[in-house]
Amino acid sequence: MNICFFSIVTYWHGGKGGMEIHGKILCEGLVERGHEVTIISTRHPNGKEYEEVNGIKIYCLAETGFSTYWKKWGKESLKKFDQLNRMKSFDIVLSQSFNGYYFAKNKKKYQIPLVSFLQGAGPYMTISKIKLAVQRRHHTSIAEVIRLLLSYIVHFFILHLPTVLGSDLIICASDHVNDSLRKWYPVRREKIYTIMNGIDTLGFSPDDKDRNRIRKHLGVREGESLLMTSGTISKEKGHHLAIEALNKLLEKNVNLKLMIVGDGEYLTSLSRLIDKFGLKKRIILTGFVPNKSIGNYYNAADIYLIPTLRAEGLPFALIEAMSIGLPIIASKAGGIPNVVKDGKDGLLINPGDTNDMVSKILILLRNKNLREELGVKARQKVLNELNSENMVNRTLNVIESNLFAVKNKSSSEIYS
């Protein structure tokens, strides 16, 4: 197949999030299986307009704004698609999230099937942001709450609905996303599939050499336990709750440190909280670590925390930490319970409940056998279910069986 992939930001732009990692794994997997892949994306931060990486052709549109829908992305992306499609017709179009909305609006002109990949759907993330905004400690104004609501409404009608209505198939990262999509959007059940994210399990595997090297580099002493959390540093990710939990644990004379990997807008607030509790010697802020190197940091940790306050689709960080064999303590939110079965391959906590987090951390610190058992089962689940081979193969199977098994039908039947 000759495939066009719309994505407003890519891993090769320097993208740091789950969507960018998903796009990289999917596109590389498609090329490895003999398909042609062309990505259309926004302006590159370094001014590149074209590059080819691992057999993937990437066009970055100079007239657009980096990683945004609102600076000519719609019209410019479709113009580039027209140009490339005239040179060699595409068989299928893929949309990362709602990035292909403008193609979806004009889809009848091309009669090329559209498949959209959703890591999240519905207003759940917006609701979690509003909940945080109205908490007194954040001193957020009513204007900010209104801004969040208006932003969601604009996105819903301009981006979300056209993409959902124009998609021939929608592939969701978790059952939670699937359920949310059917609840909030007018979409037929038969065109929605759940294919959970998958990772390179060789790139994320236990390694004692990496563990010892990174712990020494970070100044983690013999006998100290190391908690880890990671990701974009924002309010809704809940990193501040991990700091609050550490402060409570240290009151119990636990020999413990916390490593926070990542950067973002909320980092300054975290630093103030660390100063408030006097935890500078107990908390390690690594800053941004590239995805290709973060496996070393997982290996250095003893317990991995996901204290998120928002309804995550299915975080790649969760799968990566599980693949290393770390025992997981994660919020019972979004798609996380689709993967982590409480007490079997991880422990779940109530979102925002630091006492629950403290209790679960203490259970693991005091029970080495449980830590090891949860870690082994977590890695086994990734090896069996959440690997990149499964993700790409299942994606291709769904696309081919649904869209290319009907080639003998007339176009009017397919696109009516």
Side-chain angles (χ1 to χ4, degrees):
M1 288 188 292
N2 186 24
I3 301 166
C4 182
F5 189 57
F6 286 96
S7 185
I8 62 169
V9 64
T10 74
Y11 181 88
W12 300 280
H13 276 81
K16 306 170 186 177
M19 284 196 297
E20 292 81 61
I21 295 169
H22 172 271
K24 174 184 185 293
I25 293 170
L26 178 63
C27 290
E28 288 180 345
L30 291 170
V31 169
E32 286 171 6
R33 287 158 178 77
H35 302 285
E36 294 181 59
V37 177
T38 299
I39 298 176
I40 297 176
S41 193
T42 59
R43 177 178 55 82
H44 196 286
N46 297 330
K48 293 180 185 177
E49 293 192 21
Y50 175 80
E51 63 179 331
E52 187 168 331
V53 184
N54 300 330
I56 303 163
K57 300 171 184 176
I58 306 172
Y59 291 87
C60 300
L61 308 180
E63 297 300 313
T64 64
F66 170 62
S67 187
T68 178
Y69 292 100
W70 307 121
K71 222 178 162 185
K72 299 184 178 179
W73 163 249
K75 290 182 179 179
E76 290 295 320
S77 64
L78 196 63
K79 183 164 51 170
K80 175 57 71 174
F81 176 85
D82 274 332
Q83 177 191 344
L84 297 173
N85 193 50
R86 283 195 297 270
M87 293 166 58
K88 184 178 181 181
S89 297
F90 289 110
D91 299 302
I92 191 168
V93 172
L94 309 182
S95 171
Q96 186 64 278
S97 186
F98 305 104
N99 297 179
Y101 82 98
Y102 208 76
F103 173 84
K105 286 182 175 180
N106 295 273
K107 182 166 161 282
K108 286 186 178 179
K109 170 183 172 184
Y110 302 100
Q111 297 195 347
I112 299 173
L114 171 65
V115 179
S116 296
F117 297 87
L118 299 186
Q119 299 291 324
Y124 292 108
M125 289 190 182
T126 300
I127 290 169
S128 64
K129 287 181 180 180
I130 291 171
K131 283 181 178 178
L132 282 174
V134 298
Q135 289 177 3
R136 287 183 184 176
R137 58 180 159 177
H138 295 306
H139 305 293
T140 306
S141 66
I142 294 175
E144 174 64 10
V145 174
I146 293 171
R147 188 195 68 78
L148 287 168
L149 282 170
L150 289 175
S151 176
Y152 177 75
I153 292 167
V154 169
H155 280 76
F156 183 89
F157 286 104
I158 294 180
L159 306 176
H160 298 192
L161 270 183
T163 308
V164 168
L165 295 175
S167 294
D168 296 273
L169 289 173
I170 300 173
I171 296 176
C172 303
S174 68
D175 288 336
H176 167 77
V177 178
N178 191 318
D179 293 341
S180 176
L181 181 69
R182 286 191 283 110
K183 180 176 181 179
W184 293 99
Y185 299 87
V187 58
R188 298 194 313 275
R189 180 189 294 264
E190 59 268 22
K191 74 175 185 179
I192 309 173
Y193 288 81
T194 296
I195 299 176
M196 291 194 290
N197 294 329
I199 63 163
D200 172 14
T201 54
L202 290 177
F204 292 94
S205 57
D207 190 315
D208 287 337
K209 287 184 179 178
D210 279 343
R211 175 178 173 81
N212 295 331
R213 178 173 59 83
I214 296 295
R215 285 173 76 92
K216 183 177 179 180
H217 170 70
L218 296 172
V220 180
R221 297 190 185 93
E222 189 75 27
E224 282 184 326
S225 296
L226 182 63
L227 306 174
M228 176 182 172
T229 185
S230 63
T232 302
I233 310 298
S234 60
K235 289 180 187 178
E236 61 267 24
K237 287 286 189 177
H239 298 98
H240 60 287
L241 300 174
I243 294 172
E244 292 172 9
L246 177 69
N247 189 54
K248 292 180 179 182
L249 286 161
L250 292 175
E251 292 172 0
K252 301 176 184 292
N253 297 315
V254 180
N255 195 10
L256 195 61
K257 283 185 175 176
L258 169 66
M259 172 172 58
I260 301 175
V261 178
D263 61 8
E265 61 184 20
Y266 200 52
L267 190 57
T268 302
S269 297
L270 288 191
S271 297
R272 284 198 296 265
L273 188 61
I274 292 167
D275 289 341
K276 174 185 172 182
F277 291 138
L279 294 177
K280 275 191 175 181
K281 292 183 179 180
R282 290 287 181 171
I283 294 182
I284 303 161
L285 299 174
T286 69
F288 171 67
V289 174
N291 187 255
K292 63 183 179 182
S293 305
I294 200 170
N296 301 332
Y297 290 81
Y298 289 125
N299 267 300
D302 296 295
I303 298 170
Y304 188 75
L305 308 175
I306 303 186
T308 182
L309 293 165
R310 76 181 192 182
E312 306 272 352
L314 179 54
F316 270 90
L318 169 64
I319 306 172
E320 291 165 358
M322 290 175 71
S323 186
I324 295 292
L326 283 174
I328 307 295
I329 298 174
S331 292
K332 197 187 304 179
I336 293 173
N338 294 155
V339 173
V340 177
K341 302 308 174 187
D342 192 27
K344 294 184 178 180
D345 43 34
L347 299 179
L348 296 176
I349 58 173
N350 297 313
D353 189 339
T354 54
N355 289 329
D356 195 11
M357 195 189 315
V358 167
S359 173
K360 298 293 171 60
I361 292 170
L362 284 173
I363 287 171
L364 292 183
L365 290 176
R366 291 167 179 169
N367 192 333
K368 182 181 178 183
N369 289 338
L370 180 60
R371 289 203 308 273
E372 291 178 351
E373 181 184 344
L374 293 178
V376 167
K377 288 183 177 178
R379 176 158 172 78
Q380 199 59 49
K381 177 170 279 188
V382 177
L383 291 173
N384 292 342
E385 302 174 30
L386 301 169
N387 61 75
S388 55
E389 290 291 307
N390 279 353
M391 185 184 84
V392 177
N393 287 339
R394 288 170 181 167
T395 300
L396 274 173
N397 286 340
V398 165
I399 289 172
E400 289 171 352
S401 62
N402 281 275
L403 300 179
F404 295 102
V406 292
K407 275 189 173 179
N408 293 330
K409 291 184 180 182
S410 69
S411 60
S412 60
E413 288 180 288
I414 299 171
Y415 294 100
S416 59

